[in-house]
Amino acid sequence: MGMQKITVSNQKGGVGKSTIAVHLAMSIREQGNSVLFVDLDPQANATKTLERIGEASPVAASQLFNGEVVGIEAAEGITLIHADGAMADIERADPAVLSTFRRNLESLGESFDYCIIDTPPTLGLRMTAALLVADHVLAPIELEEYSIDGITKMLQTIFGVKEKWNPDLNFLGMLPNRFNPRSLAQKETLTNLVKNYSHLLIKAKIGIRSSIPEALAEGIPVWELKKTAAREAGREFKEAFAIVYEKMGGLK
Ligand SMILES: Nc1ncnc2c1ncn2[C@@H]1O[C@H](COP(=O)(O)OP(=O)(O)O)[C@@H](O)[C@H]1O
Ligand SMILES: [Mg+2]
């Protein structure tokens, strides 16, 4: 089986896409797989974290849409294709760039076991590209009331691409993030989601914990942070990812 591509997607910003994408990449790497990380968000949060620990990243994400990217070999750590400003132009490009993107990922697939794609908080060409090439898609969500409206839209986008262009796309599910157990509103939202979208929901959640951004600032996953407060967060990630891997049919 070739490189498995996992897209982390939600058109809403701040829900934890980059946080979860980076932790997922680190977890898969820790289990002995070679991992390519593609950062399609010019805000570059994942790029900033991964540059701290990885080798230099010679290829910018916009190049995946614009030319032929060859000769990237798996590195010791996670191999990063970094976010760059030129990606904004992709949104105005001819949709033909989508096939260039697909072709590039296909050829990179010879060197890696897994590819994690982090997406921008916009419904556009890059989001479409990321869903088009993906084998699996994971959707971090927030349980704040204002973000629930966005969930329907997000599901329409993902299942729209699946229906039209990528019938084999495996929706791993929505993963509640930044969960605050003291918030009655969040608990209520979760109850509603379970009632209406149970089959699309990952039965785990990541709490809101300051140890998570702290760990990423150091370039390590939260389960590596030597702090009591990080232990629970690490456990939650492991639990959530165990479900994700099971839904992927297991890791290689
Ligand atoms: N579970 C969490 N607990 C605490 N802070 C979090 C958590 N998840 C994400 N964050 C923080 O929230 C902000 C937005 O997260 P990020 O992953 O960048 O979201 P997105 O990529 O969806 O825009 C970041 O500052 C990040 O460190
Ligand atoms: Mg992000």
Side-chain angles (χ1 to χ4, degrees):
M1 204 178 356
M3 176 174 78
Q4 300 251 309
K5 299 175 259 350
I6 310 163
T7 289
V8 181
S9 163
N10 185 334
Q11 78 284 357
K12 191 172 184 304
V15 298
K17 287 183 291 297
S18 301
T19 301
I20 288 168
V22 167
H23 276 93
L24 188 61
M26 289 168 163
S27 162
I28 294 177
R29 178 69 198 104
E30 277 180 13
Q31 294 176 64
N33 297 287
S34 54
V35 179
L36 176 69
F37 193 102
V38 175
D39 188 356
L40 295 184
D41 183 359
Q43 271 198 346
N45 288 333
T47 289
K48 280 171 214 151
T49 301
L50 290 172
E51 273 179 348
R52 232 174 273 275
I53 49 162
E55 6 282 279
S57 157
V59 175
S62 66
Q63 288 173 261
L64 292 173
F65 296 88
N66 287 329
E68 197 186 351
V69 175
V70 287
I72 301 186
E73 292 301 322
E76 183 54 35
I78 293 162
T79 302
L80 172 68
I81 295 190
H82 68 267
D84 63 323
M87 274 187 303
D89 302 333
I90 307 292
E91 293 304 317
R92 295 182 290 275
D94 190 288
V97 297
L98 291 176
S99 38
T100 308
F101 182 75
R102 185 202 287 278
R103 224 177 312 117
N104 276 321
L105 279 180
E106 249 162 46
S107 83
L108 287 168
E110 285 163 26
S111 310
F112 296 91
D113 298 316
Y114 289 92
C115 173
I116 310 292
I117 307 177
D118 191 14
T119 58
T122 41
L123 292 169
L125 217 55
R126 277 167 296 162
M127 176 79 86
T128 305
L131 292 173
L132 208 63
V133 299
D135 299 287
H136 312 278
V137 54
L138 176 64
I141 57 166
E142 228 179 6
L143 297 170
E144 290 303 327
E145 207 178 335
Y146 60 81
S147 57
I148 291 304
D149 303 335
I151 285 180
T152 314
K153 189 141 204 203
M154 176 190 78
L155 293 172
Q156 279 169 352
T157 303
I158 293 170
F159 285 95
V161 171
K162 179 176 162 74
E163 246 165 62
K164 274 199 222 121
W165 295 304
N166 189 1
D168 294 334
L169 181 62
N170 175 25
F171 184 61
L172 295 166
M174 301 188 271
L175 176 56
N177 182 35
R178 302 174 58 102
F179 179 66
N180 173 6
R182 280 187 290 272
S183 158
L184 284 179
Q186 285 204 10
K187 278 194 175 161
E188 212 169 288
T189 303
L190 188 58
T191 308
N192 273 331
L193 276 179
V194 170
K195 202 159 32 174
N196 296 304
Y197 290 114
S198 176
H199 57 300
L200 301 178
L201 207 55
I202 290 176
K203 307 282 182 297
K205 45 191 173 322
I206 314 285
I208 184 154
R209 295 174 199 283
S210 56
S211 52
I212 294 172
E214 264 172 54
L216 289 184
E218 289 185 30
I220 56 172
V222 70
W223 53 81
E224 294 282 322
L225 194 69
K226 300 276 178 290
K227 255 183 145 181
T228 324
R231 211 173 294 151
E232 187 67 7
R235 200 185 51 75
E236 287 179 345
F237 269 107
K238 298 253 153 122
E239 244 180 66
F241 289 168
I243 296 173
V244 165
Y245 301 147
E246 195 191 310
K247 289 188 169 194
M248 289 170 61
L251 283 190
K252 291 182 196 178

